[in-house]
Amino acid sequence: MVLDDAQFISFLKGKRVKLTLKTSSYFGVVVRINSNKTLVLADVSGSNGCKYLGTKLFFGREIVNGEYSKTLGQKVLSFCCHQTSNYDDEDEAECINFVIIDEIHEKFGPAVMHIKKQHVIGVGGEGVELFKNGRLCWLQIATKNKVYLFDILLLGAVAFKNGLSMILETKHILKVIHDCRAIAGSLAAQFGVKLSNVFDTQVADAMCFYRRTGGFLPDRVSTLPEVVSLHLNVPSSRLSSLHVRSQLTKEEMDMWYKRPCPVPLLKVMALSVIHLKPLRLVLLDTLMTDYMILVDSYLNSNLCEPDGLEHVTMVSHSEPKTDTDVKKNDSTLIAAQKAIGSNV
């Protein structure tokens, strides 16, 4: 009997399989196989007999072979691994120059000094239940040509006392973040750090939508992959790994505690911040469209009196035209605020 992918996934759930990775092997019961090429096993044990509590997440690109039977083993591998796409985000990830900072010695000082010289940086954070002021495990900072991954779980508060607080709190460095709420809350609750001078790409995307639709706000806020794909024209196939974070269950969130951190997760963290700086520039250009229209009117009215505005025209896509439009925008803003709040 020949099984298609959907039938195969259904068939394999609850079955015990063996996964062979590049460095080790694991046995476990299949909980689910995700469309982003990740596999979740329960009742996991290693080839050395070591047992793991709860569930364990495996990335398809890590899997060398999967075995359930001679006929199904290769299908585990072919379904989980990124072998069906000629253009995925792993190629880009291989080119990212990221540095792991997990000790206050050789690499920490030069990294902080380099970041302090920047005017604009991309910032991200990973951890467990960050929206509930949970545990911040990683802090990512992207400069023009490098990404620093600070292991906050190992570094602790000393990392902030030795430079990170100054970087995050100073008004001289612009921090570009996608949805700053969780990171700001965790930094304040755990380390007393007050994040400042932030450009939030999620807020900017909502304002671009507001302008584009003539005064409406979106029903929900956009995810980072959605914003990057829309404004930077990056194919969604190159951003598939960024969806891993949003698809993790509560039990799987504990993977941020794992040390050493799996390489695919390190690449996901790096990918989550490298687009932030160029994304800010594109969003600013969109938000400044009305301003540029007004400048163009000035250029086309160069023979008018210096103090006159009668020949200057500006077509705004976001300016309400009537009292009804004003009321419509007010009610939309309230609804959008509720929608954004429901995402917290």
Side-chain angles (χ1 to χ4, degrees):
M1 179 177 64
V2 178
L3 301 179
D4 60 24
D5 283 344
Q7 292 174 320
F8 171 70
I9 293 172
S10 178
F11 172 82
L12 204 59
K13 284 183 179 178
K15 300 296 192 301
R16 191 164 187 82
V17 298
K18 176 185 177 181
L19 297 182
T20 302
L21 278 58
K22 296 177 182 178
T23 56
S24 57
S25 299
Y26 294 90
F27 299 87
V29 177
V30 176
V31 177
R32 69 174 183 271
I33 301 175
N34 300 316
S35 59
N36 62 3
K37 314 300 182 183
T38 58
L39 176 69
V40 180
L41 298 185
D43 189 21
V44 181
S45 60
S47 55
N48 58 359
C50 179
K51 292 187 177 294
Y52 298 84
L53 298 177
T55 58
K56 186 173 177 62
L57 179 71
F58 296 88
F59 290 83
R61 67 192 65 171
E62 292 182 307
I63 301 173
V64 176
N65 189 34
E67 298 176 38
Y68 171 69
S69 72
K70 292 182 179 179
T71 56
L72 290 178
Q74 185 59 33
K75 189 148 187 176
V76 174
L77 179 62
S78 62
F79 183 83
C80 290
C81 292
H82 288 267
Q83 296 178 351
T84 58
S85 174
N86 294 323
Y87 191 41
D88 60 41
D89 52 8
E90 187 172 9
D91 294 334
E92 183 176 4
E94 293 293 344
C95 301
I96 299 175
N97 182 16
F98 66 85
V99 180
I100 301 172
I101 313 290
D102 54 10
E103 291 182 308
I104 305 290
H105 69 103
E106 300 173 2
K107 293 185 288 186
F108 184 88
V112 169
M113 292 300 295
H114 173 67
I115 296 170
K116 284 182 178 180
K117 296 177 182 178
Q118 309 302 308
H119 297 293
V120 183
I121 58 176
V123 176
E126 303 295 348
V128 179
E129 296 186 332
L130 292 186
F131 277 112
K132 299 179 181 179
N133 295 339
R135 187 67 179 269
L136 181 67
C137 298
W138 290 91
L139 183 73
Q140 306 100 267
I141 296 181
T143 62
K144 183 178 180 179
N145 52 15
K146 189 171 291 187
V147 175
Y148 295 101
L149 305 179
F150 291 91
D151 191 340
I152 303 303
L153 194 64
L154 296 182
L155 294 171
V158 66
F160 296 93
K161 295 177 181 178
N162 282 273
L164 288 185
S165 288
M166 179 276 212
I167 291 170
L168 296 169
E169 292 181 337
T170 181
K171 295 182 179 180
H172 299 295
I173 301 176
L174 179 65
K175 276 72 69 174
V176 185
I177 306 175
H178 188 81
D179 191 355
C180 63
R181 295 170 293 177
I183 298 175
S186 293
L187 288 172
Q190 283 185 248
F191 306 104
V193 175
K194 188 175 181 180
L195 192 62
S196 68
N197 194 19
V198 171
F199 181 95
D200 195 307
T201 56
Q202 190 174 75
V203 174
D205 173 71
M207 293 308 298
C208 289
F209 183 93
Y210 176 92
R211 182 190 178 281
R212 187 169 63 249
T213 58
F216 288 100
L217 285 170
D219 294 330
R220 65 171 181 85
V221 289
S222 299
T223 64
L224 178 60
E226 290 171 338
V227 176
V228 170
S229 180
L230 174 64
H231 296 283
L232 295 183
N233 297 318
V234 177
S236 57
S237 60
R238 289 179 57 189
L239 303 170
S240 60
S241 65
L242 291 181
H243 292 287
V244 170
R245 297 176 300 167
S246 61
Q247 294 176 354
L248 294 178
T249 65
K250 186 175 180 179
E251 292 75 18
E252 293 165 357
M253 292 295 290
D254 289 344
M255 66 192 302
W256 297 116
Y257 292 138
K258 184 177 180 181
R259 298 296 182 275
C261 183
V263 173
L265 273 187
L266 296 174
K267 293 179 179 179
V268 168
M269 287 190 283
L271 278 170
S272 70
V273 292
I274 62 170
H275 297 292
L276 291 176
K277 291 183 63 180
L279 182 59
R280 164 184 165 265
L281 296 178
V282 173
L283 289 168
L284 278 176
D285 283 345
T286 303
L287 293 173
M288 291 290 286
T289 301
D290 286 343
Y291 166 78
M292 295 307 300
I293 291 174
L294 186 55
V295 171
D296 287 342
S297 292
Y298 262 56
L299 291 173
N300 295 328
S301 307
N302 54 77
L303 298 178
C304 298
E305 292 294 326
D307 295 331
L309 285 175
E310 59 271 12
H311 295 288
V312 177
T313 60
M314 178 173 132
V315 179
S316 173
H317 297 283
S318 60
E319 181 181 354
K321 302 300 188 298
T322 66
D323 291 340
T324 302
D325 289 335
V326 173
K327 292 178 181 178
K328 176 194 70 175
N329 290 341
D330 288 342
S331 61
T332 304
L333 178 59
I334 293 172
Q337 288 173 334
K338 290 180 179 179
I340 291 175
S342 66
N343 283 275
V344 178

